[in-house]
Amino acid sequence: MKPRSNTKIIPSTLVELMDIRGITANKVNLICKKLGIKNLHELTAAVAKEQLDGIRELTAENKKNIRRSLKLHKDTESRIQLWDAMLQGEEVLQTIRQFPEVKRASLAGSIRRGKDTIGDIDIIVQVNGPDRKKLLYKVARMGLTERIIAAGKNRICIVLHNQLLVYFYLTDEKHYGAALLYYTGSKSYNVFMENMATNKGYRLTPDGLYDVKNNQYIATDKEEEIFQYMLLDYVTPELREEQAIPNITVQHKLPSLPTFDQLKGDMQIHSDWSDGEESIAHIARYMFDVFPHYQYIVITDHASNERVGHVLKTSDISLQAAEIKSVNDQLGYDYVKKGVEVDILENGQLSLPDEILKQFDWVIASIHSHFTKDNTSRLMKACENPYVHCIGHPSGRLIGSRNPYPVNWDQLFDKAAATGTAMEINARPNRLDLNDTLVRKAVAKGVKLVIDTDAHGLTQFDFMQLGIRVARRGGCSKTDILNTRNWEGIEKFKTDKVAAINKVA
Ligand code: DGT
Ligand code: CA
Ligand code: ZN
């Protein structure tokens, strides 16, 4: 075989670059020579500084592949919503778990932490050394894989057909816990943990925890063990973010975070009386069967005197109430609650008068117009209405398509706390509104929150899982979440609100 020219002068630290599709030995050589690069670290730095742009011989595709392989691709446009990433990640996980070479596998990275958008999918895979090649072949042939981007002894990176990147970190049983901890991140949380380890005479690496005194390896097959050895409370992945670190440095001070089974009902649902797909009877039957731990559901169709089309007409409110009554009669108790979602108009007035609002069991007021102006005063005015129980999707953002409008959150949350108005954690994948940071702020001010799905179809009730993750990332306790209460508890919240407003007036 003819020897390949130039290969020899490529530093051994850069050989793995040649696994990148479309990058020949010549190109690797060229990069090394032109930029004086000697190792992967220097290459990473050069790519971050966009120095590859100066090399004419590299195509745009070459550069893209190098960036991807180095995990430097993450501009905001390429991030995908948590829900899509969870579905995709789960599918990849289920597929590789069927390979006999895979002894254990877990999602890590930002998906495991429940971040609202995801740059790429990280998966820890336990596989014996001799099986790694076989695993690579199988991964390459999975229907989900578009192509292999890079493959080495400890890592495989693939791109899926939807252009999402997946990194598999290959590890053995003994190092699994440490790998899971490290690749779950976040980066700033890892730095925090590494410093904590150093302070306690340990060294924490993606390979495991070591006792510095005798350089002895401490078993970390399970992630929890690392926390135990370091005398720290276990920190759930949702709290492994920079914003939560101040709370986790103190032992036994972590909130006990809310869980899905603690939720007693879904409090924003649209039926075919407005823009939802299903009748109230269908929704009730489905929810009753599929979510048996819910004690109530709240139908909150859009209703307005101001707009037409896909809204509950004022004249239809009594007809809708009769339908709800008949569904409840069949179920044997008041399972379906009569709610409404009203618009907050430009001047802060609502799209229905108080005499009508007071007929409903639950009133959500939301902004559906004028998305660019500062909306603090509109939202505060809505809080002052004794019949408004909750502000819907308070920031107005649509992930990837609409920025949140400006709001003075301190002022709004103070008003919400003083008037006893709840804020929504809207669990739709493109809303997640409030987001984790605002949830943390709201809770600190004593504002109560409602997690709901804003479902318009039967499949959307599963979004509740996302809402729970936002609440957990925001460091909520169960008591911060109103719909962990039974309906009597919700009624109490409503009478407390009226009392709070009367006191101020
Ligand atoms: P993403 O993919 O942008 O949504 O966010 P992550 O958190 O999944 O980040 P990613 O995929 O770049 O890396 C996965 C985890 O690996 C990250 O959360 C922490 C760890 N990690 C990666 N690079 C570094 C690093 O340079 N330093 C430290 N301390 N940890 C890192
Ligand atoms: Ca990631
Ligand atoms: Zn809405």
Side-chain angles (χ1 to χ4, degrees), residues 269-474:
I269 298 171
H270 296 258
S271 78
D272 57 5
W273 285 98
S274 67
D275 55 351
E277 291 163 12
E278 301 286 339
S279 68
I280 293 175
H282 268 160
I283 294 168
R285 190 33 75 195
Y286 176 84
M287 296 299 275
F288 204 77
D289 290 343
V290 177
F291 299 95
H293 73 285
Y294 285 174
Q295 300 177 358
Y296 49 83
I297 60 170
V298 189
I299 300 292
T300 55
D301 281 306
H302 294 285
S304 172
N305 280 339
E306 311 287 322
R307 53 175 165 138
V308 287
H310 299 304
V311 291
L312 175 67
K313 292 198 284 278
T314 322
S315 53
D316 284 343
I317 292 175
S318 55
L319 291 175
Q320 191 203 40
E323 184 175 324
I324 290 176
K325 181 170 181 311
S326 118
V327 170
N328 284 338
D329 284 347
Q330 280 174 33
L331 292 172
Y333 77 108
D334 277 352
Y335 176 66
V336 182
K337 306 292 176 190
K338 256 185 314 171
V340 69
E341 182 183 12
V342 286
D343 302 334
I344 303 173
L345 307 177
E346 191 179 4
N347 59 7
Q349 305 277 333
L350 303 175
S351 59
L352 289 180
D354 287 358
E355 307 80 73
I356 294 184
L357 292 185
K358 53 167 103 142
Q359 301 168 20
F360 288 98
D361 296 323
W362 186 251
V363 176
I364 302 171
S366 317
I367 286 183
H368 293 122
S369 64
H370 306 282
F371 295 115
T372 48
K373 60 183 236 175
D374 183 315
N375 279 315
T376 314
S377 62
R378 279 169 95 189
L379 293 164
M380 285 181 35
K381 199 155 175 198
C383 289
E384 285 164 1
N385 185 310
Y387 305 110
V388 167
H389 305 119
C390 181
I391 299 294
H393 42 77
S395 84
R397 73 153 172 184
L398 294 177
I399 297 172
S401 60
R402 188 166 77 209
N403 285 329
Y405 36 67
V407 171
N408 182 328
W409 292 104
D410 281 319
Q411 271 183 28
L412 177 63
F413 290 155
D414 283 339
K415 176 63 79 179
T419 55
T421 312
M423 292 280 147
E424 182 184 49
I425 298 177
N426 185 303
R428 290 183 76 76
N430 67 337
R431 286 200 185 269
L432 301 182
D433 182 5
L434 300 174
N435 70 13
D436 48 7
T437 317
L438 291 174
V439 164
R440 191 170 287 280
K441 207 178 187 45
V443 166
K445 296 217 176 245
V447 176
K448 293 288 180 226
L449 301 157
V450 170
I451 311 175
D452 56 40
T453 63
D454 195 358
H456 289 63
L458 295 185
T459 56
Q460 299 176 1
F461 294 108
D462 296 328
F463 297 158
M464 199 60 110
Q465 302 287 353
L466 291 180
I468 277 283
R469 303 207 72 181
V470 174
R472 292 170 65 86
R473 286 173 58 84

Side-chain angles (χ1 to χ4, degrees), residues 18-259:
M18 290 159 60
D19 285 326
I20 302 174
R21 189 178 153 127
I23 307 293
T24 58
N26 278 342
K27 292 211 176 90
V28 176
N29 230 333
L30 185 80
I31 298 169
C32 294
K33 268 210 286 230
K34 287 236 166 157
L35 302 178
I37 282 167
K38 290 182 289 304
N39 55 42
L40 207 56
H41 179 78
E42 287 174 4
L43 177 71
T44 309
V47 172
K49 288 189 234 150
E50 303 195 338
Q51 288 176 346
L52 295 190
D53 288 351
I55 306 179
R56 264 184 307 116
E57 292 85 343
L58 292 180
T59 65
E61 187 66 19
N62 292 156
K63 283 182 261 185
K64 204 167 96 192
N65 285 341
I66 295 176
R67 292 182 78 85
R68 271 183 176 163
S69 147
L70 297 174
K71 262 186 174 277
L72 287 170
H73 61 287
K74 288 176 213 154
D75 42 62
T76 39
E77 280 101 87
S78 66
R79 299 187 69 82
I80 70 161
Q81 291 168 16
L82 176 61
W83 184 252
D84 297 329
M86 275 166 54
L87 296 180
Q88 191 74 79
E90 229 14 84
E91 201 180 349
V92 174
L93 199 62
Q94 294 314 328
T95 308
I96 64 163
R97 277 182 180 153
Q98 286 165 20
F99 304 152
E101 293 79 13
V102 172
K103 305 295 172 210
R104 198 166 28 152
S106 319
L107 290 170
S110 48
I111 294 196
R112 182 157 182 250
R113 303 197 312 277
K115 220 173 133 147
D116 48 15
T117 63
I118 304 298
D120 53 42
I121 297 180
D122 304 281
I123 299 181
I124 311 300
V125 187
Q126 182 185 321
V127 49
N128 295 331
D131 283 343
R132 293 184 181 197
K133 259 265 145 53
K134 274 196 244 164
L135 177 65
L136 174 61
Y137 297 143
K138 291 195 178 168
V139 165
R141 295 181 56 195
M142 298 191 299
L144 296 161
T145 306
E146 185 181 290
R147 60 194 158 92
I148 303 275
I149 297 281
K153 201 159 67 67
N154 300 315
R155 194 159 81 149
I156 301 172
C157 174
I158 63 172
V159 61
L160 304 177
H161 295 294
N162 61 4
Q163 297 310 301
L164 193 59
L165 280 182
V166 182
Y167 288 84
F168 299 100
Y169 300 100
L170 313 183
T171 183
D172 54 19
E173 181 173 15
K174 192 169 149 196
H175 300 101
Y176 196 90
L180 184 58
L181 179 71
Y182 182 83
Y183 290 109
T184 296
S186 63
K187 289 186 184 94
S188 41
Y189 179 76
N190 284 353
V191 170
F192 162 77
M193 282 296 272
E194 282 153 21
N195 289 337
M196 288 297 269
T198 308
N199 292 342
K200 294 182 187 228
Y202 295 125
R203 191 174 75 252
L204 180 62
T205 74
D207 273 344
L209 189 66
Y210 294 83
D211 193 330
V212 173
K213 273 199 306 294
N214 47 18
N215 201 28
Q216 201 182 343
Y217 175 76
I218 302 169
T220 52
D221 142 51
K222 294 187 196 65
E223 199 184 42
E224 290 85 349
E225 285 176 6
I226 299 178
F227 292 89
Q228 282 162 14
Y229 280 112
M230 286 171 58
L231 304 177
L232 293 170
D233 290 333
Y234 178 76
V235 176
T236 183
E238 288 99 336
L239 290 179
R240 298 184 198 168
E241 297 289 349
E242 183 143 31
Q243 57 171 354
I245 287 175
N247 302 35
I248 61 187
T249 49
V250 192
Q251 253 196 315
H252 311 313
K253 280 277 152 51
L254 287 176
S256 93
L257 303 181
T259 59

